[in-house]
Amino acid sequence: MNKTYNFAFFDEGSKREIRRATLKAIAIPGYQVPFASREMPIGRGWGTGGLQLTLSLIGKDDVLKVIDQGSDESVNAVNIKKLVSDTTGVRTTESTADASLIQSRHRVPEVPLQRDQILILQVPLPEPLRNFEPSEQETKKLHAEREYSGAWLMLFEQIMKYGIMATDADHPVMVHDRYVMAPSPIPRFDNAKLDDSEALILLGAGREKKVYALPPYTNVSSLAFDDYAFEIESFTNHACILCGSNDLFLDELVDGESGETYFQCNDTSNCLEMVNQKQISGVK
Amino acid sequence: MNLDVVHDIQTVYRKLVTATSRPGTLVVLEREAKTLGVQIECLSSTILLARTVLDPEVTFKVIAKEEEAVSRMINQLTYSKPVELPEADFIFILHDASEEQLKEALNHAKVGNLLNPHESAMIILEVPDVTKGDSMILSGPGIQQESIITLPNATSWLGARNEKNREFPLGIDMYFVDQQDRLIALPRTTQIKGNGGEIIWDMLQ
């Protein structure tokens, strides 16, 4: 642990400011609370929002897991983990079940979250209405008036153009029947995990200086029409090449040599656990 | 043992997060409160909360018999400025405040506006015991279906709270602390029903 820094990198004043914003965010689910967003030793847009939330929350007894698009071992995840453990000395883990704080970029872990865990999502663009309204003042007004016809129209136009809602990731959700919220670029597959979650979910956007939250057991529904239902990514007839799962979110990859496509779990730590479990039961 | 402003405040904050995200859940600040020693003017938990959220960037108001002394103490501990009720970001209503003062404080607390609902007051209310009093049923975000809790003197604050929180997202978030250093939060999203009709409050108050 590097003791030349204050515990958890920040000075106490910075933590307090983020903490106040976070408490307000939890009290108003789905509402984007502005905060000061400190300069961080990583670039804005590389997870500084999530990192600031993590640093404001973390204590000596926490166990931290950081994932980047499902992977514990990608550069972004490794560097964030290093920064936090260097300045706090907390234990890091790859196992979702062991972690008390889970910072994630663009995925909700496959292992169901528990009551005593907090999921922190990194958010590049927190404003779900930004696509059609560039002014922050105007989008604030739209949220204030619960005027979301633009968000619906955006989906309607996609259906007109492509025959389906083509949002891919970051499909907007309605929170507590009040605010339309960007769930961060998680795949549509993960949207359902936000609804009625066991764990508190915090979302932080460092560059855009916003934090927002989903308390546990909050009603979160993906925007959809009566005749065009919300659909998740389909992996019918495909299974993970390593663990054989066919009901999880899979990545489509191409074998460099043979040119064939194959599928593999996106959540690497969960995949590894499944493979290990299979081997253990195989030995028996 | 003295209060560790880094680690003890961090655990207080995490308990605040638990309390806010799971309304009605009892959290215990006893360990952190013990580091403060004996307090005379207000409860230890009140000081812990003040030290967790207050600094020169925000304002507060104290409602108590010894308002001036407590305000001065909080100001010296946190450098936060005491202001009048309608401007206060944090309102501390101590155990010796009268029912009229409590109602007045809630009536004048700011609720934010539709553009900025976060510019609302957080109320910290000292009560004798957060596990005794009027039984009530809670529902809303953070609560799995319903939960039943008991809080004291509901008639003196529930009507004013309902009035303030009529138009979500506007409203006030209330934190109840007691002499045993226990804390319960009722953020604005929490809907409260009387359990068996014991609670009677006047909506016009």
Side-chain angles (χ1 to χ4, degrees):
Chain A
M1 185 181 161
N2 188 341
K3 291 201 166 158
T4 47
Y5 289 103
N6 191 25
F7 179 82
F9 186 73
F10 279 134
D11 59 285
E12 292 308 302
S14 300
K15 286 184 201 165
R16 222 168 5 244
E17 199 263 342
I18 301 165
R19 287 170 179 172
R20 280 195 300 260
T22 309
L23 289 175
K24 279 281 190 281
I26 299 169
I28 317 170
Y31 169 70
Q32 303 162 48
V33 182
F35 80 115
S37 193
R38 266 40 181 191
E39 282 292 335
M40 300 301 296
I42 59 171
R44 285 202 165 146
W46 289 83
T48 51
L51 181 58
Q52 290 180 73
L53 282 172
T54 301
L55 292 172
S56 74
L57 287 161
I58 203 160
K60 285 187 285 191
D61 300 331
D62 276 311
V63 181
L64 177 73
K65 173 184 165 81
V66 183
I67 33 177
D68 176 0
Q69 296 230 325
S71 169
D72 292 87
E73 286 147 13
S74 75
V75 177
N76 194 219
V78 169
N79 282 330
I80 288 175
K81 245 187 292 197
K82 258 192 199 162
L83 174 69
V84 179
S85 66
D86 269 1
T87 55
T88 59
V90 303
R91 192 161 67 85
T92 59
T93 181
E94 292 187 0
S95 156
T96 305
D98 290 345
S100 58
L101 293 178
I102 304 165
Q103 181 176 333
S104 169
R105 172 175 174 266
H106 308 181
R107 269 319 298 281
V108 178
E110 302 286 8
V111 179
L113 298 173
Q114 302 299 319
R115 201 185 146 81
D116 51 359
Q117 295 180 315
I118 300 177
L119 175 68
I120 300 140
L121 288 168
Q122 301 169 199
V123 186
L125 296 167
E127 182 49 73
L129 313 178
R130 186 64 73 232
N131 258 346
F132 58 89
E133 179 48 70
S135 156
E136 170 70 11
Q137 203 165 1
E138 288 303 315
T139 50
K140 264 185 101 69
K141 227 184 272 176
L142 294 174
H143 282 293
E145 292 165 359
R146 204 169 176 266
E147 168 46 62
Y148 291 129
S149 39
W152 292 102
L153 203 56
M154 192 176 71
L155 296 175
F156 176 73
E157 280 178 354
Q158 288 173 359
I159 292 170
M160 294 289 42
K161 250 184 176 168
Y162 310 110
I164 51 161
M165 288 189 283
T167 43
D168 210 13
D170 211 358
H171 185 96
V173 292
M174 175 68 87
V175 179
H176 188 44
D177 207 25
R178 177 59 182 83
Y179 283 107
V180 165
M181 184 191 96
S184 86
I186 55 173
R188 280 171 287 146
F189 184 87
D190 285 347
N191 273 22
K193 298 180 195 164
L194 304 181
D195 182 35
D196 219 18
S197 159
E198 279 281 331
L200 168 66
I201 301 171
L202 298 174
L203 301 100
R207 187 182 49 198
E208 304 289 324
K209 305 182 177 182
K210 295 284 174 64
V211 291
Y212 50 110
L214 296 172
Y217 314 120
T218 300
N219 190 332
V220 180
S221 56
S222 304
L223 295 193
F225 298 96
D226 287 347
D227 50 348
Y228 279 85
F230 173 74
E231 279 176 18
I232 61 168
E233 292 83 353
S234 162
F235 301 104
T236 323
N237 302 329
H238 298 297
C240 173
I241 195 168
L242 300 175
C243 71
S245 302
N246 56 7
D247 54 352
L248 303 178
F249 189 78
L250 304 175
D251 283 333
E252 187 176 355
L253 303 166
V254 179
D255 188 313
E257 281 175 17
S258 67
E260 280 177 22
T261 58
Y262 63 96
F263 287 80
Q264 193 178 315
C265 279
N266 175 271
D267 188 334
T268 52
S269 70
N270 184 55
C271 187
L272 189 64
E273 274 170 28
M274 307 263 272
V275 171
N276 287 342
Q277 260 173 22
K278 264 192 193 164
Q279 281 177 350
I280 290 165
S281 55
V283 168
K284 277 175 189 171
Chain B
M1 210 175 79
N2 289 330
L3 178 81
D4 183 327
V5 292
V6 176
H7 299 292
D8 290 337
I9 293 296
Q10 183 270 336
T11 55
V12 173
Y13 169 62
R14 280 293 280 278
K15 288 171 186 175
L16 266 179
V17 168
T18 304
T20 315
S21 57
R22 299 173 193 278
T25 302
L26 191 82
V27 298
V28 182
L29 304 171
E30 195 183 355
R31 188 191 64 75
E32 294 87 349
K34 275 191 180 145
T35 63
L36 291 175
V38 179
Q39 299 299 318
I40 300 162
E41 283 119 347
C42 62
L43 298 181
S44 302
S45 300
T46 307
I47 295 183
L48 284 175
L49 296 191
R51 296 196 65 159
T52 307
V53 293
L54 292 184
D55 61 22
E57 291 176 33
V58 289
T59 56
F60 71 96
K61 169 80 177 171
V62 173
I63 309 289
K65 282 205 178 98
E66 301 291 330
E67 181 188 332
E68 213 185 305
V70 180
S71 287
R72 200 179 317 119
M73 178 185 66
I74 292 179
N75 170 257
Q76 284 171 351
L77 283 172
T78 66
Y79 303 108
S80 178
K81 282 185 295 292
V83 293
E84 286 310 305
L85 268 176
E87 284 104 56
D89 299 315
F90 297 88
I91 301 173
F92 296 88
I93 304 171
L94 305 194
H95 57 91
D96 57 6
S98 69
E99 197 173 321
E100 283 69 41
Q101 282 178 312
L102 166 60
K103 281 180 182 161
E104 197 201 338
L106 294 181
N107 284 335
H108 287 94
K110 62 178 177 183
V111 292
N113 57 56
L114 286 169
L115 283 176
N116 294 302
H118 65 284
E119 289 176 358
S120 51
M122 184 198 268
I123 315 282
I124 293 101
L125 185 60
E126 289 186 353
V127 293
D129 190 329
V130 292
T131 60
K132 291 200 174 81
D134 304 302
S135 179
M136 52 190 85
I137 302 172
L138 309 183
S139 60
I143 301 160
Q144 200 173 16
Q145 282 148 6
E146 286 184 339
S147 75
I148 297 172
I149 62 160
T150 49
L151 278 172
N153 310 330
T155 45
S156 55
W157 53 264
L158 196 49
R161 180 189 181 271
N162 284 350
E163 190 62 24
K164 280 283 173 189
N165 294 352
R166 210 171 33 177
E167 192 184 2
F168 182 79
L170 308 186
I172 51 172
D173 307 310
M174 296 183 75
Y175 293 78
F176 297 80
V177 289
D178 74 6
Q179 283 158 355
Q180 289 84 49
D181 302 305
R182 296 174 296 187
L183 169 88
I184 279 181
L186 295 179
R188 68 195 71 183
T189 47
T190 306
Q191 300 290 317
I192 304 178
K193 274 191 301 188
N195 188 12
E198 299 94 338
I199 305 173
I200 303 153
W201 67 84
D202 184 357
M203 288 297 286
L204 298 172
Q205 274 174 349

